[in-house]
Amino acid sequence: MALKVLTVDDSKTIRMIVKKAFQSYSCEVYEAENGVEGLAAATKEKPGLIILDITMPVMNGIETLDRLKADADLKNIPVIMLTAESGKDNVVNIVKKGVKDYMVKPFKGEDLIERVRKIVPLEARGEEESSETKVARYFSQVDDVVVLTLPAKVTRPVTVEVESGLAAKIKDMGAAQLKKMVLDMSGVSETNVLLIKLIITIFQGCQKAGIAVKLVAGAKQAEELKGFQETSQVAVANSIEEAKASF
Amino acid sequence: MGIDSGEPNSSEKEFYMTGIQNVDLRGFVTHSIASVFETMLSMNLTAEDPPQRENVTTGNHVVGTVGFAGAVMGNVNVFVSRDFAREMTAAMLGMSVDDIGSDEEVHDVIGEVCNMVGGNLKSKLCDAGLTCSLSIPSITFGNSFRVESKGWDRHELLGFRNSHNSALIEIYVKNAT
C-alpha cells in the first residue's frame, strides 16, 4: 500500500518540492496550507508521515505539533519539521515535543528522502502508467461527441499529455467519422496562461481537422476567459448537454 | 540527531554582550543567501560591491520582506528584477520560464527565499540570546516604488550577481531596549 505523506506548509513552492521528492516512490502526497488544514487532513487521511513547517499563518507548526501529540489517534504519526529556523532553542523545543527529525531550509529533495528513509520504509514506484493510459483518461465519448475533460490543475506535463493525445484522437475521430468535440474545463481550478494556450491549441487542431468544438465552463471561468484576448470571443456552454445541443 | 547543549559559544556570548553593532551581519547573510541559491536554485551568486541598486529597481521588480521582533527587531528585504524572479522560480520548481503559470508562483518563490534568509538570521540572533519571532513573508511588486524603513540602529545593503542578473538584500536591525 502506498505511504500517505502529508506536507503542511504555507508555501506552495515547498509543497511542490516535497511532492517532487516523493514522486519516484510509492507514496500519496497530501497538501495543507496551515496547521488547521493540516490537522483536518491528518484526521481524515491518517498519513504515515507528516512534514511540517513552523512559520505559517492561521496555526503555526509548533501549535499543530502540540495538537497532533495531544490526539490519541494522531500522536504516533511520525513528524519531520521542515523549517528555516535552526536556532538551538527552537530545535530543542521541537525535539522535546516528540518530532522524529528536523530539516533546515534550504534543503534538497534527496536529503529529505534520506531523512524519511530512516523513519519509514519507502518503496520505489512500480511500473509507470503507460503514456496511452495517461492520455486516455482525458477523453471519453457521449453518443457521437468526443469529450475532452481537463483536470483541476493544468500544468505543463498535462498540456504535453493532452496535446500529444489530441493528435492521436483527431486521427481516430477522422477514421470513425466523428466531427464533434466538447472541451470540458468546468473542473479546472485555476485559469492560467497554460490553460489559455491549451484551449487555443485544441481549437486550432480541431478546426484544421474539420472538427467542431464547443467549450464547457463554469460562470466564473467564463468571466475569466473573457479577460484573455485569445479567449474573449469564445462561446461557453454551462454543461456538456448544453454544448451537445448547440452543435 | 545531533543537538548541542544550547549554551551560547564564545562568539555568541560576545554577540550578546556587544549587541548588534559588532555582529558580522554582512558575512552571515552573504553565506546564507549563497547557500539558498546554491541548494534550492543551483545558482552561484557572487558579491557585487558596491551594490547596483538601479540594476534591480529600474523597471518591474519584486521585493520579498520578512520581519523579526522581540529582543531585537528588524527587516530583511530581498530585491530582484521581475525577469530574475521568474528565472529563480523556474530554477526552484524545475521548469522552464515559459512554463510558469502565474505571478503567484513567482511571488511564492521570492517569499520563500526571503523566509529562508530571514529565518537563518533570526536563528543566529536567537542563538546569541536575542530572542525574536519571525513574520510570514510579504511581497511587493511593480515598477515604480521605493521601500524604506526608518529609525534603525543598523542598516546593511548587500549586492549579488548571477550571470546577467543582480539581487539586493537590505537588512535593518534595531535593539528593542
Side-chain angles (χ1 to χ4, degrees):
Chain A
M1 205 171 73
L3 173 72
K4 288 184 178 181
V5 178
L6 173 62
T7 167
V8 187
D9 202 305
D10 58 323
S11 166
K12 192 177 167 187
T13 301
I14 297 299
R15 297 199 308 270
M16 279 177 77
I17 291 170
V18 169
K19 214 169 173 179
K20 221 173 200 177
F22 284 99
Q23 71 185 2
S24 304
Y25 300 92
S26 184
C27 297
E28 290 173 22
V29 181
Y30 297 84
E31 299 178 44
E33 283 188 19
N34 56 59
V36 171
E37 286 186 13
L39 288 170
T43 304
K44 187 180 171 204
E45 301 298 341
K46 299 283 187 309
L49 176 70
I50 297 176
I51 296 171
L52 184 60
D53 184 24
I54 290 186
T55 311
M56 293 183 289
V58 186
M59 184 191 287
N60 68 31
I62 301 295
E63 190 179 346
T64 308
L65 185 62
D66 284 339
R67 293 195 184 206
L68 282 169
K69 294 300 172 191
D71 187 318
D73 288 340
L74 307 177
K75 67 179 181 187
N76 293 323
I77 299 173
V79 176
I80 294 179
M81 300 298 278
L82 186 56
T83 174
E85 299 179 35
S86 59
K88 287 169 195 158
D89 288 347
N90 191 44
V91 171
V92 169
N93 184 28
I94 60 175
V95 170
K96 276 183 187 165
K97 287 175 186 289
V99 297
K100 284 288 184 187
D101 206 344
Y102 69 95
M103 274 202 85
V104 177
K105 300 173 188 174
F107 70 104
K108 283 190 181 296
E110 51 264 38
D111 297 332
L112 174 63
I113 293 297
E114 204 174 296
R115 301 284 181 106
V116 171
R117 277 185 185 284
K118 290 178 183 165
I119 299 168
V120 288
L122 285 177
E123 282 176 31
R125 198 175 279 283
E127 203 173 298
E128 282 292 303
E129 193 181 10
S130 74
S131 56
E132 288 82 4
T133 312
K134 279 183 184 172
V135 168
R137 67 177 172 224
Y138 298 117
F139 294 95
S140 57
Q141 193 171 329
V142 182
D143 302 325
D144 61 341
V145 179
V146 170
V147 180
L148 197 177
T149 307
L150 297 180
K153 179 87 179 146
V154 176
T155 58
R156 181 67 189 155
V158 167
T159 64
V160 170
E161 283 173 11
V162 171
E163 285 173 15
S164 67
L166 181 69
K169 181 56 76 177
I170 285 175
K171 209 172 162 186
D172 291 347
M173 288 175 73
Q177 295 193 324
L178 296 171
K179 294 287 177 191
K180 297 171 194 169
M181 182 182 283
V182 169
L183 172 57
D184 181 7
M185 60 164 280
S186 58
V188 175
S189 59
E190 184 192 353
T191 306
N192 59 30
V193 176
L194 281 176
L195 172 66
I196 301 301
K197 282 185 185 169
L198 182 60
I199 292 171
I200 299 305
T201 303
I202 293 166
F203 270 73
Q204 288 174 345
C206 288
Q207 197 175 27
K208 210 171 161 186
I211 295 169
V213 193
K214 302 291 179 187
L215 182 64
V216 173
K220 184 171 171 271
Q221 294 166 326
E223 275 306 308
E224 288 169 347
L225 290 175
K226 283 182 190 163
F228 291 87
Q229 193 187 351
E230 298 88 336
T231 51
S232 59
Q233 302 299 319
V234 175
V236 175
N238 291 320
S239 65
I240 293 175
E241 290 68 32
E242 187 183 314
K244 275 176 69 187
S246 69
F247 278 114
Chain B
M1 250 182 310
I3 300 168
D4 59 32
S5 65
E7 289 296 314
N9 60 32
S10 57
S11 67
E12 286 165 350
K13 280 178 184 162
E14 186 188 346
F15 188 143
Y16 185 57
M17 298 292 288
T18 58
I20 53 176
Q21 286 303 335
N22 298 322
V23 178
D24 182 15
L25 275 182
R26 296 180 72 89
F28 183 74
V29 172
T30 297
H31 174 76
S32 178
I33 189 76
S35 168
V36 170
F37 269 69
E38 193 182 330
T39 308
M40 305 300 293
L41 310 170
S42 301
M43 286 182 181
N44 290 318
L45 284 186
T46 53
E48 188 173 62
D49 197 15
Q52 304 297 309
R53 189 183 280 272
E54 65 281 3
N55 286 354
V56 178
T57 57
T58 305
N60 280 316
H61 59 289
V62 183
V63 184
T65 302
V66 288
F68 44 91
V72 62
M73 298 187 293
N75 279 341
V76 176
N77 299 326
V78 176
F79 295 72
V80 288
S81 69
R82 183 173 184 269
D83 287 345
F84 191 24
R86 287 174 62 79
E87 285 184 31
M88 289 165 64
T89 303
M92 197 182 271
L93 300 180
M95 55 170 65
S96 76
V97 171
D98 290 341
D99 291 340
I100 296 170
S102 67
D103 280 348
E104 186 198 340
E105 286 172 337
V106 177
H107 298 166
D108 197 62
V109 164
I110 300 305
E112 195 51 45
V113 167
C114 199
N115 179 48
M116 289 180 203
V117 176
N120 288 341
L121 179 59
K122 178 252 176 189
S123 300
K124 175 85 174 168
L125 294 168
C126 287
D127 284 349
L130 299 166
T131 308
C132 53
S133 298
L134 194 68
S135 74
I136 55 172
S138 63
I139 297 292
T140 311
F141 58 99
N143 64 5
S144 183
F145 65 93
R146 193 175 165 84
V147 177
E148 265 187 20
S149 298
K150 303 245 182 237
W152 300 98
D153 293 335
R154 192 163 168 194
H155 169 234
E156 297 288 349
L157 178 66
L158 294 92
F160 299 94
R161 196 157 183 82
N162 166 261
S163 175
H164 54 287
N165 293 306
S166 295
L168 289 177
I169 298 189
E170 204 161 30
I171 308 154
Y172 296 93
V173 191
K174 182 181 168 68
N175 277 311
T177 52

